[in-house]
Amino acid sequence: MSYIESLKVFVRVVELGSITSGGRDLRLTPAVASKRIKELEKHLGVRLFNRTTRSLSPTEVGHVFYDEAKSVLGALETAEAKVANYSAQPRGTIQITAPLGAGRRLIAPLVPRFVDAFPDTRVRMRLSDRKVDILADGLDIAFFIGTPGDSNMKLRKIADCARVLCAAPRYLAQRGVPARPDDLMEHNCLLLRYPRSPEYFWTLDTAQGPRKLEVAGKYDADDGDVLTDWALDGRGIVNKPRFDVAAHLARGDLVEVLPDTPPVPTIFGCLYPHKKLQDPKVRLFVDFVVKQCDGLLPAG
């Protein structure tokens, strides 16, 4: 298995651009990852990387070997998944990612319960509000809130996800309560922003149909929980999934605004490569999350 492990290290180093990043992704120290690469080069009798003090890039033969190594690992993964269908107990690691809010409040509590039910599985979870590349990041499942763009991934809808505009009472006392959507243009709107972010505008559900508003404000972040903290601090109006701020609304720390024209509901779901349909642990985890989240995210 050491040769296969070395192939995995080599592939991730190529994809992530450094031995440190590739090793970290596989839970290896840089020293161990570097040793695996050197052993692989010695076995093959070729140099796989051009190394300088500041950069690491595959050699010509390294590019060729990468394509073949990735095919070998993909074939092995498919074979293991097929064999696992004959086992009563799924095993292996599931690599998942989720947005910060949904990950912390919906998915993370379910992970230990799933592993308790299937003790031969392991779950590695990454939380980020940024978009991810499922294949490039070596992920099995990517949970999302929103409307995914065109994708060759398999999509599984979990629930409709109601959204809400809300702000702290202190902010509304200082700046006034919006009475109609156009009033948002005069308010400090807290925006989730990162490269290719979909939230440079808010879409509200009005009697005339969905309406896009190019709102603006002094604060933006790529972390949805930071936006909630700013809203609680009286810094502006935030557009959040209702489940994400339900406790704050119930306590009165945040107050819903424009309840008659709320943001249009979005989707809570997950994406995964089609080949993962053959992997029982992936199917079981997705089914487990869908069942546990049933009824938790009403659309209104």
Side-chain angles (χ1 to χ4, degrees):
M1 292 298 289
S2 60
Y3 186 73
I4 296 299
E5 294 305 314
S6 294
L7 289 183
K8 292 179 180 178
V9 173
F10 168 71
V11 166
R12 292 308 283 155
V13 168
V14 172
E15 292 173 341
L16 297 178
S18 78
I19 289 177
T20 298
S21 297
R24 184 187 300 118
D25 186 69
L26 296 170
R27 305 300 193 270
L28 301 175
T29 65
V32 172
S34 180
K35 182 180 178 181
R36 293 281 175 84
I37 295 297
K38 290 178 181 178
E39 289 175 346
L40 192 58
E41 289 180 323
K42 182 178 180 181
H43 173 78
L44 295 170
V46 297
R47 186 160 47 90
L48 296 172
F49 291 100
N50 292 313
R51 298 170 174 86
T52 70
T53 56
R54 295 188 177 184
S55 67
L56 183 78
S57 60
T59 61
E60 182 178 355
V61 70
H63 281 293
V64 172
F65 189 67
Y66 167 77
D67 291 335
E68 299 302 328
K70 192 167 183 180
S71 295
V72 168
L73 293 176
L76 181 62
E77 183 181 8
T78 299
E80 289 179 341
K82 289 181 178 179
V83 170
N85 280 298
Y86 293 92
S87 172
Q89 190 73 2
R91 64 183 65 245
T93 301
I94 308 172
Q95 305 266 12
I96 67 174
T97 186
L100 290 163
R104 288 169 176 159
R105 284 173 270 286
L106 296 177
I107 306 300
L110 301 179
V111 169
R113 292 161 57 185
F114 179 83
V115 175
D116 285 345
F118 304 102
D120 289 334
T121 61
R122 299 180 299 277
V123 178
R124 292 180 179 171
M125 185 173 181
R126 304 175 188 172
L127 300 183
S128 175
D129 282 328
R130 289 174 173 261
K131 287 186 177 180
V132 298
D133 186 324
I134 297 175
L135 296 179
D137 291 341
L139 298 168
D140 297 310
I141 309 168
F143 293 93
F144 68 89
I145 291 179
T147 303
D150 294 336
S151 173
N152 58 1
M153 299 289 112
K154 176 70 176 178
L155 187 152
R156 178 78 177 269
K157 178 181 175 180
I158 298 174
D160 289 314
C161 181
R163 300 188 70 94
V164 59
L165 298 180
C166 53
R170 177 160 61 98
Y171 173 84
L172 297 174
Q174 292 172 346
R175 298 289 298 273
V177 179
R180 55 195 181 91
D182 286 335
D183 293 344
L184 291 174
M185 310 306 289
E186 305 301 322
H187 279 268
N188 199 33
C189 296
L190 307 173
L191 300 177
L192 183 68
R193 290 196 185 220
Y194 49 86
R196 298 178 299 279
S197 169
E199 288 198 30
Y200 289 96
F201 56 83
W202 288 350
T203 305
L204 304 189
D205 191 4
T206 72
Q208 293 74 38
R211 181 180 175 191
K212 288 185 178 180
L213 293 172
E214 294 184 2
V215 293
K218 296 181 179 180
Y219 308 98
D220 62 67
D222 63 356
D223 181 330
D225 281 357
V226 169
L227 301 184
T228 301
D229 291 341
W230 284 339
L232 290 166
D233 194 39
R235 301 298 177 175
I237 297 174
V238 70
N239 178 347
K240 297 286 291 185
R242 184 176 287 275
F243 80 87
D244 213 2
V245 291
H248 299 303
L249 292 169
R251 290 193 298 265
D253 298 330
L254 293 175
V255 176
E256 182 173 2
V257 300
L258 296 175
D260 294 331
T261 54
V264 296
T266 53
I267 294 173
F268 175 49
C270 64
L271 296 168
Y272 49 98
H274 282 269
K275 68 178 182 179
K276 295 298 180 181
L277 291 171
Q278 302 175 23
D279 193 329
K281 67 179 180 293
V282 172
R283 291 201 312 269
L284 283 169
F285 188 81
V286 172
D287 289 343
F288 183 80
V289 171
V290 170
K291 182 178 180 180
Q292 297 301 317
C293 288
D294 183 36
L296 293 181
L297 301 173

